[in-house]
Amino acid sequence: ITKEIFLINLTVYFLSTIIYNLVMPKQEVTLVIPCLNEENGLKQLFKKLPKEFTKVIVVDGNSSDKSVAVAKSFGAEVIIEKKRGYGLAMRTGFNAAKTELITTCDADGTYPVEKIPEMLIHFKAHKLDFLIGCRFPLQELGAMTVNNFFGNLLISSFTSLFYKRQVTDVCSGMITVKKKVWDKLEPKIKDNKWFFSNEIKIEALKDPNITYGEFKVDLEHRQGETKVGNVWVIGLEVLIKTYLKKFY
């Protein structure tokens, strides 16, 4: 990275932080992070995390490493969810949040949490109810496996086709949603595993009264090993559930 690019990024970060503090009161936002054995990812995440959040909630799936200790050392509230499931962890964190806005990211260090203030500015400026942190087009192709790359694009394309609203990254783990919108959507969201991430977006897409948008974020390299099993099996399951969701 050149000195000029570094200075530009540093300037953008400080300006976005100043603007954020002017337009977005601190007490409005809770960050929810689902976690399972992600101590290295959490260390990287918290070192870059802006200080604007009222609360950071880490929902831990009974990790066997030092994830819980790391999260607590950075001042996060930790909720132990012994029943494992990505969607269940997200649901638990969303229900525990008490602020007007909820934003999310995965614990593996792949999402640029330092960009969240800019994302929240965009959210408020466009008067949105639901916002996706969109990873496409990828800034660095090596940050995502080939299977995940084509799988994400395929599922997002079919989601756009099925629900007649454009969505570029339906599998993104980085969203911002109003708490009252989550309360409205939750009874309709049935999945507590990987499809939860798609299902919450689909329900937002289906509701004409929910203003929905996307904000470009850059995917970073993962810290630690993925918890996703066979991506082909999970991808096919998600694709089938995406279609069936039209009927309930």
Side-chain angles (χ1 to χ4, degrees):
I1 187 170
T2 66
K3 181 179 179 181
E4 289 78 12
I5 294 176
F6 173 77
L7 290 174
I8 290 172
N9 287 335
L10 189 64
T11 302
V12 169
Y13 171 76
F14 280 115
L15 285 175
S16 66
T17 301
I18 293 171
I19 295 172
Y20 172 88
N21 283 315
L22 290 174
V23 303
M24 189 71 69
K26 181 178 179 181
Q27 67 273 15
E28 289 188 351
V29 187
T30 296
L31 176 63
V32 173
I33 307 170
C35 175
L36 178 62
N37 295 328
E38 296 285 6
E39 62 174 289
N40 292 329
L42 285 175
K43 288 176 184 177
Q44 177 175 302
L45 184 157
F46 278 109
K47 288 177 181 178
K48 298 188 297 181
L49 188 67
K51 301 184 184 300
E52 287 82 7
F53 299 101
T54 304
K55 180 176 287 188
V56 178
I57 299 176
V58 173
V59 184
D60 186 83
N62 210 17
S63 291
S64 58
D65 67 358
K66 298 179 181 178
S67 294
V68 170
V70 170
K72 288 182 177 180
S73 72
F74 284 95
E77 175 184 342
V78 176
I79 300 174
I80 303 297
E81 180 53 75
K82 293 184 178 180
K83 292 182 179 179
R84 292 184 177 178
Y86 178 85
L88 181 58
M90 294 286 271
R91 189 186 301 271
T92 299
F94 282 17
N95 287 335
K98 305 301 180 185
T99 52
E100 180 183 348
L101 296 181
I102 303 169
T103 192
T104 71
C105 71
D106 294 345
D108 57 12
T110 53
Y111 290 94
V113 293
E114 67 274 15
K115 295 289 185 180
I116 290 177
E118 294 177 47
M119 192 172 177
L120 294 171
I121 291 169
H122 181 91
F123 186 94
K124 187 164 185 177
H126 291 81
K127 298 180 180 180
L128 299 175
D129 297 312
F130 195 104
L131 180 64
I132 293 178
C134 177
R135 300 166 292 178
F136 298 104
L138 292 178
Q139 182 182 34
E140 184 179 350
L141 292 177
M144 181 179 288
T145 66
V146 173
N147 287 342
N148 284 346
F149 176 79
F150 286 106
N152 273 278
L153 292 182
L154 180 66
I155 293 169
S156 294
S157 297
F158 273 101
T159 302
S160 300
L161 177 65
F162 293 157
Y163 298 98
K164 298 183 178 6
R165 291 182 71 179
Q166 183 177 356
V167 54
T168 310
D169 190 7
V170 74
C171 298
S172 174
M174 193 175 199
I175 66 170
T176 297
V177 60
K178 289 181 178 178
K179 171 70 172 177
K180 65 180 181 181
V181 171
W182 160 250
D183 291 339
K184 178 182 180 181
L185 295 179
E186 189 196 8
K188 305 174 185 178
I189 299 171
K190 310 302 181 183
D191 199 87
N192 280 327
K193 297 183 179 179
W194 293 112
F195 185 61
F196 175 97
S197 179
N198 303 72
E199 191 174 16
I200 188 174
K201 301 178 187 77
I202 289 170
E203 287 296 344
L205 288 169
K206 288 168 63 176
D207 192 328
N209 297 315
I210 293 177
T211 54
Y212 176 98
E214 297 181 348
F215 181 84
K216 178 68 176 71
V217 297
D218 294 327
L219 184 69
E220 300 176 6
H221 286 275
R222 195 189 199 291
Q223 302 295 309
E225 296 183 1
T226 180
K227 308 305 181 297
V228 179
N230 188 311
V231 294
W232 291 102
V233 173
I234 293 174
L236 180 60
E237 178 185 351
V238 167
L239 193 58
I240 293 171
K241 286 183 176 180
T242 296
Y243 176 72
L244 294 177
K245 188 67 184 174
K246 294 177 63 176
F247 305 106
Y248 67 92

